[in-house]
Amino acid sequence: MLNLGGLTMEGTYTRVDLARADAMQRLTQTHALAGTQPPAAELIPLMQNLMGGASGRLRLSGLTALNPEDGTRLALGQLVLRGSAEDLDKPMASTTFGIESSGLTLEPEVAPKAFMPDKLDIQISTAKLPTSSLWRAFADLATLAESQAAAGEEDEEEGEGEEEAALPDDGADVGTDEAAMAAIGNRLMGAMAEVGTELRIDRFVVNTPAASGTMTGALRMAASSAFGAVGSSTVLLRGLDAATKAMQPKPGKKADESTQNALGVIAHAPGLRAGVQGPMPGNDVRSYKIDVTETGQFLLNGADMSALMGMGQPAPEPEPIQGKKR
């Protein structure tokens, strides 16, 4: 069950090709009268370069939700979703997506109230998206979906008597479809790596009554790199030491399960800095610089953590023990 106290929506469009819009409207109307769907081969070419960009914003307030199966209740004072796309009619496009929330409550609690986010603000963006490759992938996926739908309709017409005999062929079709989707994805990833598509964390802010954290960074796809991408990010965590002290159980008492779990997470975060960098002097702030290098290293404040995270090269096998000495 979902309840909304208030809802507002807004959107904008830029550089709309009215001729394409008119042709697409005529196409959809013709098929609507015939009771059919426009084929991807006709619709997608009209959608390509239809507009230069678009942006939208959705704001919800007084949001409450109830799961009748387990009685879980969620409430949000405010939720804002925003997104945009620019230069869709040019060789390289860019996108942004953001989410803001405040006033979160959850029953039953999954964590101590001191660590329930009372504010969340995230914005990520992409740059240097190859539009021609994106549209090709979109067209290929749409065509594949059409073929799957047509195959499903044919199977229904075969009747129940032939259902068991068709099972081996259905399994083969699933494998073929998965391979086709993988091929489409690989072509798109290759095109993005060729132009150096970027994924950016413009803003990542999480505030709780006890602590807060921020993160910024960027990742660039690079075919020549060991992981196919290189990048760096900076994470700042505030209030962990004070939160740890405040959550410690009084002498002779044991912390509840949720508090124990929270303390375990907090204890692990400072552990990442071992031998690298501790809290900033005079401040309950921990700073983490994370780098993914072209050679495949995963650096935390300059220290290579690849082996610890299982990302490094496997250790060489020991040479066989020789028998008797000669």
Side-chain angles (χ1 to χ4, degrees):
M1 182 173 62
L2 182 66
N3 293 320
L4 296 177
L7 170 64
T8 58
M9 299 177 63
E10 58 186 51
T12 60
Y13 303 93
T14 58
R15 299 196 302 276
V16 178
D17 188 328
L18 297 180
R20 285 179 179 271
D22 183 58
M24 190 167 66
Q25 184 178 15
R26 292 198 305 270
L27 176 65
T28 54
Q29 288 177 343
T30 299
H31 281 275
L33 293 174
T36 59
Q37 296 291 333
E42 297 180 28
L43 183 61
I44 292 180
L46 294 176
M47 295 174 61
Q48 187 172 357
N49 296 330
L50 175 63
M51 66 182 68
S55 64
R57 185 174 182 269
L58 172 67
R59 181 180 180 274
L60 304 172
S61 60
L63 174 66
T64 61
L66 169 65
N67 185 345
E69 295 182 359
D70 58 10
T72 300
R73 294 178 179 272
L74 179 145
L76 272 176
Q78 179 172 279
L79 175 66
V80 178
L81 302 176
R82 59 184 183 274
S84 67
E86 297 180 1
D87 297 333
L88 296 175
D89 54 351
K90 296 182 180 180
M92 296 291 175
S94 61
T95 65
T96 63
F97 173 78
I99 179 172
E100 296 178 54
S101 69
S102 60
L104 171 66
T105 60
L106 188 63
E107 298 177 359
E109 296 178 356
V110 296
K113 290 184 178 180
F115 285 92
M116 288 296 292
D118 55 19
K119 178 183 178 182
L120 178 69
D121 187 357
I122 300 173
Q123 178 170 306
I124 60 176
S125 62
T126 60
K128 298 183 179 179
L129 291 170
T131 51
S132 60
S133 298
L134 288 172
W135 280 110
R136 180 188 174 188
F138 183 40
D140 290 344
L141 288 173
T143 301
L144 180 61
E146 284 182 344
S147 66
Q148 290 174 337
E153 292 176 358
E154 292 177 1
D155 290 342
E156 291 180 359
E157 294 174 358
E158 289 180 358
E160 296 180 359
E162 301 178 1
E163 184 176 352
E164 293 184 0
L167 286 178
D169 293 337
D170 290 344
D173 291 342
V174 171
T176 302
D177 292 341
E178 291 179 349
M181 291 186 66
I184 295 171
N186 289 336
R187 283 198 302 268
L188 179 58
M189 295 296 287
M192 293 168 68
E194 184 177 352
V195 300
T197 297
E198 297 179 4
L199 172 64
R200 302 167 181 168
I201 303 175
D202 302 314
R203 183 167 58 254
F204 192 110
V205 179
V206 180
N207 287 344
T208 73
S212 64
T214 63
M215 180 179 182
T216 56
L219 193 69
R220 175 177 57 84
M221 298 184 65
S224 60
S225 64
F227 290 139
V230 295
S232 64
S233 63
T234 300
V235 179
L236 297 178
L237 301 178
R238 298 178 175 85
L240 290 182
D241 290 343
T244 303
K245 294 178 182 178
M247 294 176 63
Q248 292 295 338
K250 296 180 179 180
K253 293 187 177 181
K254 185 179 180 180
D256 57 52
E257 183 178 355
S258 62
T259 301
Q260 289 179 355
N261 293 337
L263 287 172
V265 173
I266 295 174
H268 183 62
L272 293 177
R273 76 177 196 280
V276 184
Q277 177 178 329
M280 297 174 65
N283 238 337
D284 187 5
V285 179
R286 304 192 186 282
S287 175
Y288 302 96
K289 179 71 161 54
I290 303 170
D291 296 285
V292 178
T293 70
E294 190 168 353
T295 58
Q297 289 179 302
F298 186 88
L299 306 180
L300 177 62
N301 289 346
D304 192 351
M305 306 292 286
S306 303
L308 181 62
M309 301 184 65
M311 299 170 59
Q313 296 294 328
E317 296 182 1
E319 296 182 2
I321 300 175
Q322 300 292 330
K324 297 179 180 180
K325 294 182 179 180
R326 295 183 180 179

